[in-house]
Structures are given as C-alpha cells and as structure tokens.
Amino acid sequence: MSAYDIPRLKARLGGMKIEENPAIVKQKSRDFFWYSPVLKRQLDHVTGDIVVSPRNEAEVIEVLKACFDEGVPVTPRGSGTGNYGQAMPLSGGVVLNLADLNKVKAIGRGQVVAEAGAVLAAIDKETRPGGEEIRLHPSTYNTASIGGFVAGGSGGIGSINWGGLRNVGNVLSLRVVTMEANPRILEMTGRDLMKVMHAYGTNGIITEVGIPLTAAYDWIDVMIGADDYMSAVRFADLVANEDGLLFKEIATVAAPVPYDYFLRHQKFLKREHSIVLLMVAPHAMAPLLDLAAHEKVEILFRSDTATDAKKKGLPPLFELTWNHTTLRGLRVDPSITYLQVLHPFPNHVDSIAKMTALFGDEVPGHLEFIRFDGKVCASGLPIVRYTSDDRLDEIVKIYEDNGCPIFNPHRYTLEEGGMKRTDAGQLAFKREADPKGLLNPGKMIAWENPDFDLNSDKVYLFPGMQAAE
Amino acid sequence: MSAYDIPRLKARLGGMKIEENPAIVKQKSRDFFWYSPVLKRQLDHVTGDIVVSPRNEAEVIEVLKACFDEGVPVTPRGSGTGNYGQAMPLSGGVVLNLADLNKVKAIGRGQVVAEAGAVLAAIDKETRPGGEEIRLHPSTYNTASIGGFVAGGSGGIGSINWGGLRNVGNVLSLRVVTMEANPRILEMTGRDLMKVMHAYGTNGIITEVGIPLTAAYDWIDVMIGADDYMSAVRFADLVANEDGLLFKEIATVAAPVPYDYFLRHQKFLKREHSIVLLMVAPHAMAPLLDLAAHEKVEILFRSDTATDAKKKGLPPLFELTWNHTTLRGLRVDPSITYLQVLHPFPNHVDSIAKMTALFGDEVPGHLEFIRFDGKVCASGLPIVRYTSDDRLDEIVKIYEDNGCPIFNPHRYTLEEGGMKRTDAGQLAFKREADPKGLLNPGKMIAWENPDFDLNSDKVYLFPGMQAAE
C-alpha cells in the first residue's frame, strides 16, 4: 500500500536513532485505544514502519525534511498514553518518538518551558524546589509527556481550579516545526496556539511547550464514602463551590465500582460505598473535615494520618481518577468500556441524578468536577457495561437527547471525538504547515474529506488506513 | 452618663500603656465612619475615656478583668480602618488598642498565625520569602490589622479567587479572650469561628488569627479603558470567568469617576473613560493582552513596562479599589458618599446595566468582581452624589426592589449593616463570653433590644450612646 521507500528514508537518516523490530515498532505505534472495543477492532492492526527517535530539534527537522522529500507519513508520539489512537500511524510510515526531547529548558516564577517529550512528573520534580508545580495533568502524570498532553489531552487533575488546556492562559507558548521542503520553526503564543493544540500533531510537530505553574502543596489524598451515589455527588458539588477550600482534584465514583475495581483500596470500602475522591491542600484539611462531619459523610481514607502499613502498596489517589478509573475497571473486567460526557452548569446535579436513574448499573457513574467558563460543573467518564456497538451508540444518543454533550472516545478523528465540527483554524494551518498531508494522516476529517457530514450518523472511516491482515 | 470610675480603673492598670489626652483619645475612637453623612452626624461626638494599649495577651486579660470588675465598656480597635463605626465606643469607656500585639507567630506552608494587631502588609513581608502571601485583604492593606479585618471586614482584594472571609477555609483559627470575672482564652476552629468573625468585637477579644496563604506573585497593575461603562463591565466579567487567567483583583469604575477622582492617574485618562482595574499575575499578562486586543479595549496603564517617570507618585492600583475608590472621591468632593450592593449571579451583568441606566450620574458605578458560592458576580460600591438621607434611603429601596441586596454602610449595627437578621450563634456566644454586655456596646441589636423589628423602616438608635455636646 505504501508509495514510499523506507530503506531509502533510512539511508538518509544515518546516525539517527531508528527502531525497526516489528514487535517494538507495533508497540510504539499504540496508545490506550483498546479502552474502546470499537477502536480496538478498527485499529488493532495499525503499525508504523519504523520508529525514529530524534535527540534534539535539529534532528526533528532532519526527519521531517527527509520524510517530506520521500513522501513518508509521520505520526508524532509522546508517551503513548492517549485513548483515541491519537498517536497511531493509520497509514504506517514513521512514528516520530519525541521521548528523548525531554529537557526542562527554563523555570521562572509562575512558568516553565520544557521540551515536548518531558514527562509531566519529571517537570514538576524540577519546579517543586521553587514551590510551584504544573496546573493541570492527566492521571498518567507519571508517564505522559507535556507535548502529548497539549497535542492530545484536554484537562485533568487541576481542572477544578483552572479549567481545561484550551482555556486562555493554560498554555503560554509552543515551538512548532512544519512539514515542508524546508521545515520552519514557529514560535506561537496567544490565539495562535489554538491552531496546533489538541490537533493530534496533524499540522505541525510541537518541540517545546511553555506552561504556567501554580503553588505546589503536599496534597492530601482523601476518600469519602456515602451510601448512595447522589449523596456523594452533592457533597462533591458542595465542596467544589466552597471558595475558601483548595483542592487539586474532586471526583465521584458510584458503587460498586470502587469496591469491585479499586482493589488496593478495597480494604477501606464496602461494596455499597459510592465515593468522593479528593486531593486536599493541607491547610484546607481541617475545614473540610468540619464540613464532612456536618454533612454526615464518612472519611474512609486520608493519607496524612494513615499509617505506613495502611498506605503500603496504594497508588496515589489521582491514579483512581480520570481514565485511570476506567483502566482499573478494565483490569478486573475487560468487557467494560466508558464514555465522556459533559453535565453542563447549572443543571449538572439534576442531570446526573436523571442519567443515574435512567441507566442504573449498566452505566455506573464516574464524574470529574471541573471549572468550565468560570463555573463548576461535572465531566463524566462513566463506566459502560458494554454489550454491543448499537447499544453503545444508543447510550450516546440518550445522553445527547438529555442535553449532555458526548465527546466520543470510540472515534479516532479529531472531529468525531470532539465538538463534531470543523476547526477552520487548524485546517488552515495544516494547509500551510503540512501541504502534502503527511502528518498523522486520517485524523482530521476536514482535511481528508471536506464533504463528510459530521452530523450524520455515519462513522468516518479513513480510506488511507492500512489494511488489516 | 457613665456609671463607672475611670480613675479607679486606671489605678488598677498601673504599668499599662494608657493614653488619656482627650484629642488623642478621640482620634483613636474613630474610624472611617465619616464616609457616610448619616454616621458622621450620629457618631461624630463619640469618644472613649481612655485608650489602653496592651503589649501582650496577658495584659489584654488584665484589662478585661479590671473592666469587668469596674463595669467599664471595652471597645477593641485594630487600626481603625473600618467604615461603619465598628471600633467606635458608643458608651465611652476603654478603647482597647491592639496595635502592639503585632507579632507573626508561626509561618507554615499555606498558612500563617499572627497576633491580632499585626498589619496585613507586615505579615506578607514575613511570608513572601517563602513564596506565599495572604489570600484576601482590604484596600487598607498597608495599615489595617488582621484582627480588625476578621472582626469587621468581609473580603477585598483576592475575593475574585477566594470569596469572602466568612467562607469556610479563609480563616483557620482564632484565639479569643472572654469578658468575664476570670477571662478565658478560647482556641476556635471550624464552625465555631463564625461566632466571633465579623462580630465587631462585641462578644470576645481576638488576640491571634490563623489564616491560609496563597502563592505570591509580582502582581502587575493594569488599567484598561472603555468608552462606555457596560463595555468595561462586560470585559471584566469575561476575564473573571477565564479559568486559565490569574488575577488578584478585578474592578470597574464608571466615567467620570476615574478622571475626576484618581488624580495621580489622571494623566493616563480621558474624562469619558470608564475603566477596568486589574492586578494580573505576570504569567497571565501575555494572554490577557491578546484577549484585550481581540475585545478591542485599550490598555491605559501597565506597571510592568511603565517607565519610572510615569510610575512616580502613583499609589498601588489596589488603592484605587474597594473603599479607596470612595476615599479618593471624598478627597475631591466631600459631598459624595457610597453604598454597598450585591448584583447576584447569574443576572449580575443585566442587573448592572439596568441600575446604571436607572441612576445615571447620580450613582456612578464602581464594581468589585468576586467569587460568591463558586460563581463570579459583582459587589458594587457605587459612588452616590448625596443630596439627602431620604433620597439615599430611596436609592437603597430601588436597589432592593430590583433584586440587589444592600449592605448599608450608613448603619453602625451588625444587623442593619449586614444581613438584617439576628445571628443566633453570635448572640448566644455573647451571652456566654460577655455576660455583662460590656464589649463594644450598641452594635448588636439582638443583644441590646431583642424586640427591635429589623425589617421595619426604622433605624435602630442605641439608647446607651453618649450624648452629643
């Protein structure tokens, strides 16, 4: 299927770090797409031809220049912690592994600049001596790269304070290399950032990211229990709106998910427990406990007073949240999957109550409380007890019919997994920065098939995808 | 009128720092009550008999014990920066000046404990080397004491992030001395704090305050101009809801107040300029400028790039906000006064537009954007071109009839200046901690006259107030 010549490309990239062992190349061509039974079927066979690991920006440019000349597709990769096949090379070619671009370049008060491949936890390790840390991170904090997060993520732990990555001010600068005969280096700030953020690397290769920092604290992990899910939700919403209390994370998980799936925490739980998961600033702990007592919810675990014996083997609490909730479920029951749904302000609590009653145990609740346009609302990542694609689509439709937008994690394109509309700025920038359409092919429908109707019920299938064997 | 014997009291307080020069005592018996023409008439003659300045908590106890025995009223005083006669001794007696209790006792990550008389700016001076500062402060930051702020304030600069002082978590602990035969020292936390916070010292003497800290930045003062007031308001509301931008202060002031009253900033202004006043984190500055350009508002001043010549003689921007706006107005035109009004979420912008149109230049707008129960709304401190008490009352009524609660700064009692209802917790605590009713007499109607109807149109006049000469 490929019109390109990999051996010739390799010859041009002499001295570059190249991996061609097919098993390793396939492994480095994957992310956590398999959370979705739909994507698992569609993408399981996908693999690049080779993995190239540039050591610096000059080598990135060298790879892009050579691939442009040779007509070889290039799919950039951070740590491969995405869930939508963001970093999967649908047309094969080069997987551009940016993990070796991992330097923290500059730390200032309130901000840090790091190379795209720098792991989030590693960046924080360097900023914490100055009392600051990254505002937002996914639950894959310990492995995810900053470049991958900006190119394929949306928010996470910290979103209760700062909203999402796309909010003005949460990314300050990007260095982007274009895919042209003579790749250019662009320094982007302000509104321009939106051209390449959350574009899956379809229109430029991010080599450096500048982000703001916030005060670092020794966050206390707290697990709170309630006998019914809506009590947990109401408590979470209450504390999320307490302006004087500082949290880094507020989530709720409905019974029996915590007991059944959070195996290392099972000792603190009953199967009937729905829970609130909190990361609490130490100075917010006393007022929180006072509030919890007043609201008659039960503290099941707090990391600040737990003995070492109790804490032994426990993952950090944030590794029970966001897509780690799903991951822990999949480890116990590989037949489950999940959705991503927004319960918009101001009716989020009522909306949650309605959907909880409607779906029961077919869709056990999991919510992440976030700030959205200045208000607290809830982003749901409910577990779905998957039975068929049709039923999954039906569940999506029921949510949408009830005023809850779905960001479908069972689609690999930017548009279908996102806002279901063309991003004109990203498309225009792809025309400019990737005229041959070689970057991460198949992910931007607006480029591949401008006539595709995003509001039809049809699923977009990239015609250039490599055939399954 | 006094049933007490000041010479005998003085004899008991040998060795204590006592001031009895009538001019100085009168000066130390006042606050900024004179912003209100109503309070000015009612309270101008009020003075204590002596000012006692304890050097430590043991001396506070000694004073309270002696005054209890002798039946002498005691009115605590921080720096006298209140605006409602909070610290004015309506029945004379002792003004308890706590300015010498000014030690910072303990600084921890995220929190500080200081004696009640410590000036806010002085506390920050000690915490800033650790990268942190106080969350909330009034515009009188450079002179106000932490004890006075907690006893008589409500919020201020920082409230856009943290809400008000009464929000759970914004005060962590208080040490309170009771007014009894044998004064007790109480250590308060959690819900108990509400018993003495914003009680004007009517039910206990605060000697020590524990408060949370937040990240300190070199905040940039920014003044933005718009040609009509509602454009300024809409821009302020927009940026206040941008989750990724960090501000410490967001205010709007309607033309011609900025030009007419902010004399040192006049050189940056035209008389038609309505303005937005911002304290901006350095790392939020670039995205803010990008947004301002997009919204077509004009940057009139920014402290980070202004030359020293331009900045010469300028007060810090926060000294144009909150009640400093009023103060600057009064310096130019002593006939003006102000009100305090809430424009509640979610209709605050419409409500502001309506009231702006209704009152025109009789009540030029001044708003402080704050977080309130998790949402951004606006607290108004409009300038009022005062003509008569009747018209002032009429203006109050028009606001209230339009769904805007008024916190009336022309009343000296807790209830009338506040929520117009009895605070049962504060009253119960006064019974326990001040059984003789000697602390700051006349300020708590629930104590002085439980039968007074707070919802009548009548103004409460404390019968125990010393007669004007």
Side-chain angles (χ1 to χ4, degrees), chain A residues 42-91:
Chain A
Q42 291 173 342
L43 305 183
D44 203 37
H45 65 288
V46 163
T47 185
D49 293 290
I50 56 173
V51 179
V52 183
S53 301
R55 278 162 288 225
N56 50 50
E57 192 180 64
E59 289 195 352
V60 170
I61 292 170
E62 206 182 323
V63 178
L64 295 184
K65 194 173 164 58
C67 288
F68 182 86
D69 290 348
E70 301 291 338
V72 180
V74 173
T75 300
R77 175 186 179 84
S79 311
T81 56
N83 292 96
Y84 319 112
Q86 287 107 313
M88 294 181 71
L90 303 189
S91 301

Side-chain angles (χ1 to χ4, degrees), chain A residues 109-111 131-132 135 161-164 167-172 189-192 212-218 240-246 282-284 286-288 290-291 294 345-346 371-376, chain B residues 109-111 131-132 135 161-164 167-172 189-192 212-218 240-246 282-284 286-288 290-291 294 345-346 371-376:
Chain A
R109 182 73 182 159
Q111 48 197 314
E132 295 196 291
R135 284 182 175 178
N161 298 312
W162 302 105
N167 284 114
V168 169
N170 282 333
V171 176
L172 298 174
T189 59
R191 228 144 272 268
D192 281 347
L213 298 172
T214 184
Y217 294 105
D218 291 331
N241 281 286
E242 280 291 353
D243 299 315
L245 297 183
L246 181 61
H283 45 294
L288 171 70
D290 187 72
L291 200 59
H294 188 257
F345 178 87
R371 206 165 276 284
F372 193 101
D373 288 347
K375 291 102 203 160
V376 169
Chain B
R109 181 73 183 160
Q111 47 196 313
E132 294 196 292
R135 284 180 174 179
N161 297 312
W162 301 105
N167 283 114
V168 170
N170 281 334
V171 176
L172 298 174
T189 59
R191 229 144 272 267
D192 281 348
L213 298 172
T214 185
Y217 294 105
D218 291 332
N241 281 286
E242 281 290 355
D243 300 316
L245 297 183
L246 181 61
H283 45 295
L288 171 71
D290 188 73
L291 200 58
H294 188 256
F345 179 89
R371 206 165 275 285
F372 192 100
D373 288 348
K375 290 103 204 160
V376 169

Side-chain angles (χ1 to χ4, degrees), chain B residues 57-349:
Chain B
E57 191 179 65
E59 289 194 353
V60 171
I61 292 170
E62 206 182 321
V63 179
L64 295 185
K65 194 173 163 60
C67 288
F68 182 86
D69 290 349
E70 301 291 338
V72 180
V74 173
T75 300
R77 175 186 180 82
S79 311
T81 56
N83 292 95
Y84 319 111
Q86 287 107 312
M88 295 182 71
L90 303 188
S91 301
V94 166
V95 172
L96 188 70
N97 170 30
L98 295 160
D100 291 344
L101 271 77
N102 60 5
K103 284 189 207 60
V104 175
K105 304 280 289 259
I107 299 172
R109 181 73 183 160
Q111 47 196 313
V112 62
V113 177
E115 289 184 331
V119 169
L120 296 163
I123 298 172
D124 270 357
K125 215 168 166 186
E126 299 201 32
T127 62
R128 281 230 179 81
E132 294 196 292
E133 63 188 19
I134 293 172
R135 284 180 174 179
L136 303 169
H137 66 76
S139 64
T140 48
Y141 176 66
N142 283 316
T143 49
S145 70
I146 181 64
F149 185 40
V150 167
S154 56
I157 290 100
S159 284
I160 185 60
N161 297 312
W162 301 105
L165 273 174
R166 287 181 72 96
N167 283 114
V168 170
N170 281 334
V171 176
L172 298 174
S173 63
L174 292 174
R175 260 173 91 95
V176 177
V177 181
T178 62
M179 181 63 163
E180 298 175 278
N182 289 302
R184 288 169 294 154
I185 298 170
L186 305 177
E187 303 259 12
M188 292 183 167
T189 59
R191 229 144 272 267
D192 281 348
L193 296 168
M194 297 301 163
K195 295 179 185 172
V196 287
M197 282 172 61
H198 205 268
Y200 293 1
T202 55
N203 58 8
I205 303 298
I206 297 170
T207 57
E208 212 173 277
V209 180
I211 49 171
L213 298 172
T214 185
Y217 294 105
D218 291 332
W219 302 99
I220 298 169
D221 290 347
V222 176
M223 187 182 274
I224 286 177
D227 287 338
D228 68 294
Y229 188 48
M230 287 312 297
S231 298
V233 169
R234 285 196 190 90
F235 184 75
D237 194 58
L238 174 78
V239 298
N241 281 286
E242 281 290 355
D243 300 316
L245 297 183
L246 181 61
F247 302 97
K248 186 159 185 167
E249 164 70 15
I250 302 177
T252 57
V253 188
V257 169
Y259 184 87
D260 284 356
Y261 298 158
F262 298 168
L263 301 183
R264 290 172 186 226
H265 288 80
Q266 210 178 49
K267 58 187 171 189
F268 308 115
L269 292 157
K270 285 183 288 196
R271 196 159 188 267
E272 311 81 72
H273 270 138
S274 288
I275 61 172
V276 184
L277 295 169
L278 300 169
M279 288 171 71
V280 186
H283 45 295
M285 198 61 193
L288 171 71
L289 294 175
D290 188 73
L291 200 58
H294 188 256
E295 297 291 325
K296 300 187 174 57
V297 292
E298 188 185 351
I299 309 289
L300 301 175
F301 173 77
R302 49 185 286 198
S303 62
D304 57 338
T305 56
T307 59
D308 285 349
K310 271 206 168 169
K311 284 191 282 191
K312 197 173 171 217
L314 293 185
L317 177 131
F318 68 77
E319 289 185 358
L320 302 179
T321 69
W322 293 87
N323 245 333
H324 264 74
T325 314
T326 322
L327 178 61
R328 290 182 193 282
L330 281 161
R331 281 183 187 157
V332 174
D333 179 355
S335 76
I336 63 140
T337 187
Y338 76 115
L339 279 173
Q340 293 197 161
V341 49
L342 186 68
H343 297 279
F345 179 89
N347 303 316
H348 51 290
V349 174

Side-chain angles (χ1 to χ4, degrees), chain B residues 443-458:
Chain B
K443 305 294 171 61
M444 189 193 284
I445 298 178
W447 172 271
E448 308 290 353
N449 180 1
D451 296 330
F452 185 79
D453 178 4
L454 293 169
N455 295 309
S456 76
D457 283 343
K458 273 197 342 196

